[in-house]
Structures are given as C-alpha cells and as structure tokens.
C-alpha cells in the first residue's frame, strides 16, 4: 500500500462505505452481522457510519462472517490499515496551538498504564527541566508560557503508581547540547533523580561496544494499542496491532543494549561533570 498522508483522513469514510456495501451485497442485516462477529449492533453501526475506525481484527472477523475474500478483501484490509494510521504534521499542530497538543497527550497518558519511550536524539518533555523545555520549543513563535506550563504539569504522571514507564535514551539524546553546559549538567542530574522513582525505569544506550541495531526514529508505545513515531515534519499515530507489536519488538531489542539503575546514574553523572567542567 502506498503511503499518502493526505489520504489518511479519508480512509475511515472509504472503509465505512466499503463495509456497508459488503454487508448489503451479502444480504445481511447489522443485527445478523453483530451476532456472528460477537459484536454489538451499535459497534457495527458505528463502523459503517465512519464514527469508529475498527481494528484490523474486527475487519477480518466481519470479512469472514460475510465470506468475502480475494481482491475485495485485500482492498478492505488496506483501507482498514490506513484508517488505523493518522498523520499529524508540525505545521497544523502549531496553527492549532501546541498547548492543545499537550492536552491531547495528557488525555492519552491518563488512559494508558504501560509506556515505552525510545528517545533517539533528544530528551522528552516528561524528563526535562524547565530550561530544557523552553529550549526545545524556542523556534515556536508567540507566547510559549502555556506550552511550557502544560509540559511541566504532565510530569506529575510519573508519580502515579498505577502506571509504569520505561525510557530508553541513546547517549546522543542524553548528551546533545541543547542548553549551555550549566543547563545540560542540571538536566543530566535531573535524569539521575527521576531514575529513582519506583515505577520509572530509565536507561541509556552507550555509544560503545557493538550495537547491531539501526534505529531511525523516536517513538512511544502506549500499552498494546497505539504507537507514535516522530519524524522531522510530524508524527505518525499507528493503531494497527501489527505496527504496535513491531515497535514493541524493536523496543525490546534496543533495551537489551541499555544500562539502568546505578550504572545509568554513574554514566549520566560522568557526563554531567564533563558539562560542569566546560563552564569553568
């Protein structure tokens, strides 16, 4: 399937129409289909009206119930995959206001319990000092105070004991000098402090030894239901269970090369001291 960002928003309505047409051609009612797929009639109705983007598993169940196969089934599954993928470009997010983006992230975090963050090139806002947060959005025009406040407010979720967090930073992400040396030393010290929160597992992948992996993007996995992948111009939101599982697998491979606990604190402590010496 060719990836066309401008088509992603249309895919849900195309899928809804295709599912509705398949059912009617098969001569089945929504009630019959719901019963044979172990779903509610309301869910079938929401899928066919485009109010709900069904999971790939749901689409496969419906296709089996309707005995639909061949090219038609392939096309419907392709639409379902697109409907489970969302593209958010940076320009649209900035036009709407980055504070609204922070609200969306807060809602997503509130609804999730298990988080995996792979940080390739920068420290994420949940781990950042106020100075680092301000530097990370320095290129955004207008009043940034709301965005900074909301980013810092979101950090309180790290102390919610009902949730678990695993953060993997590359050495590059941890040491990239986004701030002057003094600010970077404080940021690294803050990482060491956060690593002691009981439900937070914070690791770093040192640039030493042999690492046969080749990460391309920063990404986050929320439970087993959603993954976000950051690019230079936006972010992909993936809900297809195969995509989410693939990023969970990637995370596990990267995790095998990371150091945690006292070893983590020793490394970031050494890097903090290096930045401190640069101030002098």
């Amino acid at each position: 399937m060719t990836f066309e960002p401008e088509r992603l928003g249309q895919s849900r309505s195309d899928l809804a129409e295709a599912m509705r047409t398949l059912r009617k051609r098969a001569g089945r009612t929504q009630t019959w289909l719901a019963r044979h797929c172990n779903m509610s009639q309301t869910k079938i109705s929401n899928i066919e009206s485009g109010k709900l983007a069904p999971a790939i598993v749901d689409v496969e169940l419906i296709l089996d119930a309707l005995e639909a196969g061949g090219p038609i089934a392939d096309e419907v599954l392709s639409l379902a995959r697109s409907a489970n993928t969302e593209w958010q470009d940076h320009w649209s997010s900035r036009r709407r206001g980055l504070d609204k983006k922070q609200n969306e992230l807060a809602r997503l975090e509130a609804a999730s319990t298990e988080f995996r963050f792979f940080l390739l090139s920068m420290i994420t806002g949940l781990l950042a000092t106020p100075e680092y947060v301000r530097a990370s959005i320095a290129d955004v025009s207008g009043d940034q105070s709301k965005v900074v406040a909301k980013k810092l407010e979101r950090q309180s979720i790290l102390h919610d004991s009902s949730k678990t967090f695993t953060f993997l930073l590359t050495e590059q992400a941890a040491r990239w000098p986004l701030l002057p040396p003094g600010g970077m030393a404080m940021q690294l010290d803050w990482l060491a402090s956060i690593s002691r929160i009981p439900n937070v597992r914070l690791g770093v992948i040192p640039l030493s030894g042999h690492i046969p992996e080749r990460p391309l993007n920063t990404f986050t996995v929320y439970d087993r239901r959603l993954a976000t992948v950051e690019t230079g111009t936006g972010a992909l939101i993936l809900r297809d269970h195969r995509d989410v599982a693939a990023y969970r697998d990637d995370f596990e491979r990267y995790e095998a090369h990371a150091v945690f606990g006292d070893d983590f604190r020793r490394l970031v402590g050494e890097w903090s001291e290096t930045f401190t010496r640069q101030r002098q």
Side-chain angles (χ1 to χ4, degrees):
M1 180 182 67
T2 302
F3 172 66
E4 301 178 62
E6 66 276 8
R7 287 286 301 155
L8 295 180
Q10 183 64 29
S11 296
R12 182 181 296 191
S13 60
D14 290 346
L15 176 62
E17 183 179 353
M19 300 297 282
R20 186 170 60 250
T21 300
L22 277 176
R23 176 183 58 77
K24 289 182 176 179
R25 285 179 179 174
R28 302 300 186 181
T29 65
Q30 289 184 350
T31 302
W32 180 94
L33 185 57
R35 185 169 64 251
H36 282 73
C37 295
N38 195 28
M39 300 179 192
S40 68
Q41 187 272 330
T42 299
K43 182 173 182 177
I44 295 295
S45 176
N46 286 338
I47 290 172
E48 292 188 358
S49 66
K51 294 179 181 178
L52 172 68
I56 303 297
V57 172
D58 292 336
V59 175
E60 290 171 340
L61 285 172
I62 292 171
L63 291 173
D64 286 344
L66 297 175
E67 299 182 347
I72 292 177
D74 290 341
E75 176 62 23
V76 170
L77 285 170
S78 178
L79 286 171
R81 189 170 177 82
S82 293
N84 278 275
T85 304
E86 179 184 348
W87 169 252
Q88 293 182 350
D89 66 83
H90 289 330
W91 300 281
S92 295
S93 295
R94 291 184 179 188
R95 282 196 301 270
R96 290 191 304 116
L98 290 184
D99 57 320
K100 293 182 175 61
K101 175 66 175 178
Q102 295 305 306
N103 290 336
E104 292 173 3
L105 288 171
R107 288 193 294 271
L108 179 56
E109 289 159 359
S112 306
T113 58
E114 189 180 63
F115 304 80
R116 290 170 171 80
F117 292 80
F118 178 74
L119 306 170
L120 179 62
S121 57
M122 280 184 62
I123 296 167
T124 185
L126 288 179
L127 304 176
T129 63
E131 188 179 2
Y132 195 100
V133 169
R134 283 190 288 271
S136 71
I137 59 171
D139 62 330
V140 179
S141 60
D143 183 8
Q144 302 169 359
S145 58
K146 279 187 179 180
V147 181
V148 173
K150 288 184 179 295
K151 277 180 173 282
L152 297 176
E153 182 182 310
R154 283 176 47 225
Q155 294 179 358
S156 64
I157 201 168
L158 296 178
H159 299 278
D160 184 340
S161 60
S162 68
K163 302 178 187 293
T164 60
F165 300 84
T166 303
F167 296 90
L168 293 182
L169 297 92
T170 64
E171 180 175 336
Q172 173 178 308
R175 301 184 69 178
W176 187 265
L178 185 67
L179 297 173
M184 286 305 302
M186 291 179 62
Q187 173 62 73
L188 290 168
D189 291 343
W190 182 238
L191 291 180
S193 177
I194 292 175
S195 73
R196 297 184 184 278
I197 299 175
N199 56 313
V200 174
R201 192 161 177 259
L202 188 47
V204 68
I205 302 173
L207 293 176
S208 59
H210 174 59
I211 305 177
E213 311 298 341
R214 48 197 183 280
L216 299 175
N217 299 92
T218 288
F219 64 86
T220 306
V221 182
Y222 299 86
D223 298 324
R224 293 181 178 272
R225 60 192 178 87
L226 186 147
T228 63
V229 183
E230 296 184 25
T231 75
T233 57
L236 278 170
I237 293 85
L238 306 171
R239 296 180 177 85
D240 185 332
H241 67 92
R242 293 171 296 182
D243 292 325
V244 177
Y247 277 100
R248 284 177 64 99
D249 291 344
D250 284 349
F251 192 91
E252 288 183 5
R253 288 199 301 273
Y254 302 145
E255 191 174 8
H257 301 286
V259 297
F260 297 87
D262 290 339
D263 290 334
F264 169 83
R265 288 184 283 273
R266 176 184 57 79
L267 271 179
V268 298
E270 291 174 0
W271 299 336
S272 174
E273 289 176 5
T274 298
F275 278 116
T276 298
R277 286 195 298 270
Q278 290 176 13
R279 293 181 62 186
Q280 299 168 356

